Every structure is written in structure tokens, then in C-alpha cells.
């Protein structure tokens, strides 16, 4: 009889251990900023930004700094690859600059504009996350530990000029919910 109760206690403890392992990862990730849906924007358009991307030479340092900040603040990194010559890139940056959009983006992400020149530099930064830049803008959302959440849709914002600001944020929000 004693063996029966000991066995039952061990099974209960094993079951508790299994339950704890399924609960603990969720608690461990509670430090991460939970995905918040995109805000409802009043604006139906945005003015383009004339030169949204910094010099190509600063990209690697900016990305490294962004990941350090993302780890401290438990946000994801939004890498925005583009060029100052690109009309869709300028429009996307205009959408990102809308007051409600910038507040939401900064609450969820560390945003890094990465200048790819004429799609001939800094391409290795996207390749780290399994993305080959074929067109710009290319947006990749990456967890602080380096996992890309939207490698499959990274070029979906390539027609930003024809998208509403709300559609852009809703798409980014859907990617944000993946991780």
C-alpha cells in the first residue's frame, strides 16, 4: 500500500513538473513586450519623407545597437531596408512618422532604417535572417534573440504608395503577433 501511494505521489509530482514546464516558458517571456494591435489611424495618407535612410556606413553599428536596446527593453527589432531614391520607401517612412504610428511602433519595436544604397550594400544584414533583398522597401521583424518573424512577407510593403497607413500598420501588427 505504501508503494502505491509513493508511486501515485511520484506521478503527481511528474504531472506537476510537466504542468510547470508548460507554464514557466510563458512566465519567462512575460518580460517581453506583449504584441499590441495597431492603433486605428485617423490619417488616410501620409506625406513622404525626403531622405528617410542614414548613410550606408552606419547600418551595422545601428543594427547592433538596436539589438542591444531590444534585449534591454524586451521589444522586437523592425529593420526597414530601403534607399533614399525609392518612392515606396519614402512613403513608408512617412507612414512610420505619423504621430499615432510612431508611438505604436516605438512601443513594440526598436526601428532601424537601413540604407541599402542601390540595393548593393548592407544586404548581409537581411541575409542574417534568411531574407534576400530583391526589392525595397523590405521590412523584417526580428525578436531580440535574432529570429525573423516575417521572412515570408518581408517584401509585402513594396507597394507602400498604394497602401493606406492603416493597412501598413495592420500588416506589421500581424507579423508582430507571430512571436
Amino acid at each position: 500500500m505504501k508503494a502505491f501511494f509513493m508511486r501515485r505521489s511520484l506521478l503527481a509530482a511528474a504531472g506537476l513538473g510537466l504542468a510547470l514546464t508548460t507554464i514557466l516558458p510563458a512566465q519567462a517571456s512575460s518580460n517581453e513586450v506583449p504584441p499590441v494591435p495597431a492603433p486605428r489611424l485617423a490619417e488616410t495618407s501620409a506625406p513622404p519623407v525626403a531622405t528617410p535612410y542614414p548613410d550606408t556606413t552606419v547600418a551595422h553599428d545601428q543594427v547592433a545597437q538596436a539589438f542591444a536596446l531590444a534585449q534591454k527593453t524586451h521589444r522586437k527589432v523592425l529593420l526597414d531596408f530601403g534607399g533614399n531614391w525609392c518612392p515606396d520607401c519614402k512613403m513608408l517612412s512617412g507612414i512610420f512618422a505619423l504621430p499615432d504610428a510612431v508611438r505604436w511602433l516605438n512601443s513594440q519595436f526598436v526601428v532601424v532604417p537601413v540604407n541599402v544604397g542601390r540595393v548593393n550594400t548592407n544586404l548581409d544584414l537581411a541575409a542574417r535572417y534568411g531574407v534576400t533583398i530583391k526589392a525595397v522597401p523590405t521590412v523584417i521583424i526580428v525578436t531580440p534573440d535574432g529570429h525573423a518573424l516575417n521572412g515570408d512577407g518581408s517584401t509585402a510593403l513594396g507597394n507602400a504608395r498604394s497602401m493606406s497607413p492603416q493597412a501598413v500598420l495592420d500588416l506589421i501588427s500581424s507579423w508582430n503577433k507571430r512571436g
Side-chain angles (χ1 to χ4, degrees):
M1 191 71 156
K2 186 175 177 183
F4 172 77
F5 286 113
M6 283 182 59
R7 179 193 229 159
R8 191 169 179 198
S9 297
L10 286 173
L11 288 174
L16 179 61
L18 180 61
L20 287 175
T21 59
T22 58
I23 293 170
L24 288 178
Q27 290 173 341
S29 66
S30 67
N31 289 338
E32 294 177 11
V33 172
V36 173
R40 292 287 137 219
L41 299 176
E43 298 87 355
T44 56
S45 65
V49 174
T51 54
Y53 299 94
D55 189 80
T56 59
T57 61
V58 300
H60 283 82
D61 287 340
Q62 285 186 316
V63 170
Q65 291 169 7
F67 276 96
L69 181 58
Q71 289 175 346
K72 288 179 186 171
T73 60
H74 310 289
R75 292 180 285 165
K76 296 174 187 96
V77 176
L78 186 150
L79 299 171
D80 170 17
F81 294 90
N84 290 326
W85 51 270
C86 168
D88 286 300
C89 299
K90 292 178 178 190
M91 186 55 65
L92 183 61
S93 292
I95 293 169
F96 285 0
L98 293 171
D100 287 338
V102 77
R103 271 191 295 279
W104 176 73
L105 288 166
N106 288 335
S107 77
Q108 300 294 297
F109 309 102
V110 178
V111 179
V112 185
V114 178
N115 191 334
V116 296
R118 291 283 179 178
V119 192
N120 61 356
T121 189
N122 294 322
L123 304 180
D124 60 309
L125 291 170
R128 288 181 189 172
Y129 309 106
V131 175
T132 301
I133 296 181
K134 299 174 187 154
V136 290
T138 293
V139 173
I140 307 170
I141 296 175
V142 187
T143 62
D145 63 352
H147 176 72
L149 299 179
N150 68 316
D152 60 329
S154 59
T155 58
L157 295 172
N159 62 348
R161 288 181 289 174
S162 65
M163 296 176 75
S164 71
Q166 190 65 58
V168 168
L169 291 191
D170 287 345
L171 180 58
I172 292 170
S173 179
S174 72
W175 292 334
N176 191 30
K177 292 176 187 173
R178 293 180 180 181

